[in-house]
Amino acid sequence: MIHTYDPGPRIAHAGGINIGTPNLERSLWFFRDLFGMEVTAEGDGVAYLRGYQEFDHHSLVLTQQDEAVINTYSFRVARPQDVELFHEQFTAEGVEVKVIPAGTETGRGEAIRFLLPGGGHPIELYYDIDKPKAADGLRSHLLGNSARRRGFGVRRLDHLNIMTGAATIVQAEGWLRERLGFKRREFLTLPQDPNFIVASWMSVNSKLHDIAIGASPNGQDAQFHHVAFSIENFHDILTAADQLRDLDIQIDAGPGKHGIGQAMYLYVRDPGSNHRIELYSGGREFFEPDWQALEWKINSPYGMTWYGDLPNVDPQTSPYVTTTPSAGLVLPSRRAAAA
């Protein structure tokens, strides 16, 4: 007799982020012209972008609105039926879920939206998404690239980094692992309290993280720290830092190399929305099925920065530790771009 094993609904990877920006044109300049991302659709105050090695319709949505909040954090599920299966699971557990009709985001199929228990962040899960070809003038001869490499050379969205209050972080981090199946790769604790999670890096694939969650310095839930975009190599990070400095773009931290995950980083601000964006290169990969998460202590001199200047982490003076807000279950009204 053949037995068929069904692992249940699963997450495949971090899929996207919808950034609310009061200045859409400035944000577009930043991501399209500097980062080199391809605009796949645009209109009515919304722009959709992707990296040069992304075939899905988009990983970044820029929405023009008065509130500079993160509207949604999105993950693609592993199978078409997983959207409905997660919906049933969450509803049975008492989590309020909204069905997002196909086409609400251009090029994307039906999705569900809910607030992360313990965090309050608006999360969307989807499977169906278009895979349009780039315009003739942008196509690459390399079949593994959706478009030619331009600007800083953003390849793809790498991960999302969120924060919530110290009173809720253990619940939120546990829910991401237990209900969405994220695997803890490395984590940060207090020397005096190893049960308190200061931060946790989690993935469903070989990366260090599809999502990371930390304790917010302001004690508030539903906070956003950064979204990271992958670029090819360390040299690209240094080139970007040189050019961004000359353009007076705010640099919050870096360039440097993380001890946790071992990737090179550069944290900057989108000048249209003031949300933090990370350029991210390299990093250790995780293939072991029996991987035991690495525990770092918050006072380690090697965790945040292996080399490079240590970021200022004083909550009173540091631009690096500040967070920006997320929307609720109902998203803010968007404002159409001026003609």
Side-chain angles (χ1 to χ4, degrees):
M1 180 180 293
I2 298 175
H3 296 280
T4 301
Y5 170 68
D6 186 344
R10 291 165 294 148
I11 303 295
H13 61 87
I17 189 168
N18 185 320
I19 293 177
T21 174
N23 191 333
L24 178 60
E25 284 306 314
R26 187 72 169 155
S27 292
L28 259 177
W29 168 78
F30 181 72
F31 289 105
R32 178 193 59 208
D33 300 340
L34 295 186
F35 279 33
M37 299 184 75
E38 174 194 357
V39 176
T40 56
E42 184 179 1
D44 193 28
V46 184
Y48 299 86
L49 299 94
R50 65 182 178 183
Y52 76 85
Q53 289 184 341
E54 292 180 307
F55 289 88
D56 288 354
H57 186 275
H58 61 272
S59 60
L60 171 64
V61 183
L62 298 174
T63 302
Q64 182 161 314
Q65 60 195 43
D66 294 333
E67 298 177 66
V69 299
I70 300 301
N71 292 320
T72 58
Y73 308 86
S74 298
F75 298 90
R76 194 175 186 203
V77 297
R79 308 171 301 180
Q81 65 266 36
D82 287 350
V83 175
E84 182 176 354
L85 291 173
F86 272 126
H87 187 182
E88 294 174 354
Q89 173 185 313
F90 300 156
T91 301
E93 295 172 354
V95 176
E96 184 179 359
V97 179
K98 286 190 175 295
V99 176
I100 310 303
T104 301
E105 281 195 5
T106 298
R108 198 185 71 175
E110 184 176 278
I112 59 172
R113 182 190 302 141
F114 59 95
L115 298 182
L116 171 63
H121 303 80
I123 292 177
E124 291 187 350
L125 305 181
Y126 68 94
Y127 178 81
D128 292 318
I129 190 164
D130 293 346
K131 299 179 184 296
K133 290 185 177 180
D136 290 343
L138 285 180
R139 289 184 195 168
S140 171
H141 294 303
L142 287 169
L143 298 184
N145 293 353
S146 55
R148 287 187 289 105
R149 174 176 169 166
R150 298 170 299 119
F152 296 156
V154 163
R155 300 191 298 170
R156 57 173 170 79
L157 181 145
D158 190 88
H159 64 266
L160 307 166
N161 189 302
I162 62 176
M163 288 191 157
T164 192
T168 56
I169 186 172
V170 172
Q171 177 193 358
E173 194 263 359
W175 196 92
L176 288 166
R177 289 187 292 108
E178 294 161 13
R179 295 294 182 267
L180 292 186
F182 286 103
K183 298 179 178 64
R184 185 192 283 172
R185 301 304 190 183
E186 304 193 34
F187 64 110
L188 189 65
T189 61
L190 295 173
Q192 67 274 24
D193 186 359
N195 294 317
F196 178 75
I197 302 296
V198 178
S200 177
W201 291 260
M202 296 170 285
S203 72
V204 289
N205 43 52
S206 64
K207 296 187 300 181
L208 170 70
H209 50 346
D210 290 284
I211 189 168
I213 187 168
S216 61
N218 60 11
Q220 296 180 7
D221 296 342
Q223 296 295 291
F224 170 72
H225 192 270
H226 69 267
V227 57
F229 292 95
S230 169
I231 59 178
E232 188 171 10
N233 57 56
F234 288 7
H235 178 267
D236 292 332
I237 294 275
L238 298 176
T239 298
D242 192 54
Q243 295 183 26
L244 289 166
R245 182 72 171 172
D246 216 18
L247 290 167
D248 293 324
I249 300 296
Q250 180 175 323
I251 295 177
D252 284 358
K257 181 179 177 180
H258 288 308
I260 296 170
Q262 301 181 41
M264 196 165 185
Y265 65 84
L266 179 70
Y267 295 94
V268 302
R269 294 296 179 112
D270 163 25
S273 68
N274 201 42
H275 293 301
R276 186 179 296 107
I277 312 297
E278 181 184 15
L279 287 173
Y280 185 90
S281 182
R284 188 194 190 282
E285 293 184 292
F286 299 79
F287 298 105
E288 303 91 331
D290 57 350
W291 175 259
Q292 297 297 307
L294 302 178
E295 180 180 359
W296 294 77
K297 296 300 182 182
I298 196 170
N299 58 356
S300 167
Y302 307 119
M304 171 57 201
T305 296
W306 176 243
Y307 60 71
D309 291 337
L310 286 169
N312 174 13
V313 293
D314 183 342
Q316 302 302 316
T317 61
S318 171
Y320 172 73
V321 300
T322 54
T323 56
T324 48
S326 305
L329 195 59
V330 178
L331 303 187
S333 299
R334 71 187 191 205
R335 174 166 49 88

